[in-house]
């Protein structure tokens, strides 16, 4: 299983399973808690935990079976969505976060995978994009819309003396002509390494990690 497979499985689980089934599956199958310990954590009984766990496993098996039977087909973006994404890409590389703000829905989310999640336009402006917006400088990047693992994604690259390097992979979800979900994989070295190999470009190993480590 690849790093992208793991992310996809977790995202699917969060989207389709009830919270208690998610808790039971993660705590028992991933973190190796006993059913008795999980029962204490979620204020339930040991028998109920076993029942939750069985239903969660069965639901995930059904989803996996359906997925493997279906051929993964890439669905191109509509012209409207592609235009919004292009405005976002141009604004991002130019450090124009005021324009990006106009593209966000009031209830939008911005996730820097593995580091944090901002919910709502005001929180995004204050936190995720606050420092960049106040800086006002161009990020000196190049961007393009690509197909990656059967899905549309935004590729950010940077030119170096040794050629183009992968800086970030970002995905956005658009509803009613507004960005409702923005997700950056900037800190996910394993996923970015897989993407770089697939795209046959080098990974940016010298980018600013803002005090974090890969």
């Amino acid at each position: 299983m690849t790093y992208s497979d793991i992310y996809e499985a977790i995202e699917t689980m969060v989207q389709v399973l009830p919270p208690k089934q998610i808790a039971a599956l993660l705590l028992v199958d991933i973190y190796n808690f006993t059913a008795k310990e999980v029962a204490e954590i979620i204020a339930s009984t040991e028998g109920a935990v076993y029942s939750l766990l069985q239903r969660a496993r069965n639901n995930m098996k059904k989803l996996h079976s359906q997925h493997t039977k279906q051929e993964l087909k890439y669905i191109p973006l509509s012209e409207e969505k592609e235009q919004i994404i292009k405005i976002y890409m141009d604004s991002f590389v130019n450090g124009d976060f005021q324009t990006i703000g106009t593209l966000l829905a009031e209830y939008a989310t911005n996730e820097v995978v593995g580091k944090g999640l901002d919910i709502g336009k005001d929180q995004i402006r204050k936190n995720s994009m606050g420092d960049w917006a106040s800086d006002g400088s161009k990020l000196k990047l190049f961007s393009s819309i690509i197909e990656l693992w059967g899905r549309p994604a935004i590729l950010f690259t940077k030119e170096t003396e040794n050629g183009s390097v992968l800086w970030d992979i970002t995905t956005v979800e658009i509803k009613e002509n507004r960005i409702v979900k923005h997700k950056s994989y900037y800190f996910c070295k394993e996923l970015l390494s897989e993407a770089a190999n697939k795209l046959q470009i080098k990974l940016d190993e010298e980018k600013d990690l803002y005090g974090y480590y890969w």
Side-chain angles (χ1 to χ4, degrees), residues 70-102:
Q70 296 175 353
E71 182 181 354
L72 186 61
K73 294 183 179 180
Y74 175 69
I75 301 176
L77 293 166
S78 67
E79 291 185 6
E80 293 81 5
K81 289 183 177 181
E82 185 170 338
Q83 183 61 31
I84 292 171
I85 292 175
K86 286 181 177 179
I87 294 173
Y88 157 77
M89 293 190 305
D90 289 343
S91 300
F92 188 87
V93 299
N94 287 312
D96 182 4
F97 291 90
Q98 293 297 322
T99 296
I100 290 178
T102 67

Side-chain angles (χ1 to χ4, degrees), residues 15-81:
Q15 290 172 5
V16 303
L17 295 185
K20 285 192 175 181
Q21 287 187 28
I22 295 172
L25 195 64
L26 285 175
L27 291 173
V28 175
D29 286 355
I30 304 300
Y31 293 105
N32 297 317
F33 282 86
T34 66
K36 183 178 180 180
E37 290 170 332
V38 175
E40 294 177 356
I41 293 172
I42 66 174
S44 186
T45 65
E46 191 172 347
V49 170
Y50 281 121
S51 179
L52 287 168
L53 189 60
Q54 185 63 37
R55 291 200 299 272
R57 288 169 176 168
N58 287 338
N59 286 333
M60 292 303 291
K61 286 179 181 178
K62 289 178 183 178
L63 287 169
H64 178 71
S65 177
Q66 293 171 1
H67 178 75
T68 55
K69 290 179 180 178
Q70 296 175 353
E71 182 181 354
L72 186 61
K73 294 183 179 180
Y74 175 69
I75 301 176
L77 293 166
S78 67
E79 291 185 6
E80 293 81 5
K81 289 183 177 181

Side-chain angles (χ1 to χ4, degrees), residues 94-113:
N94 287 312
D96 182 4
F97 291 90
Q98 293 297 322
T99 296
I100 290 178
T102 67
L103 301 176
L104 297 173
E106 291 296 330
Y107 57 92
T109 62
N110 181 34
E111 180 179 6
V112 180
V113 177

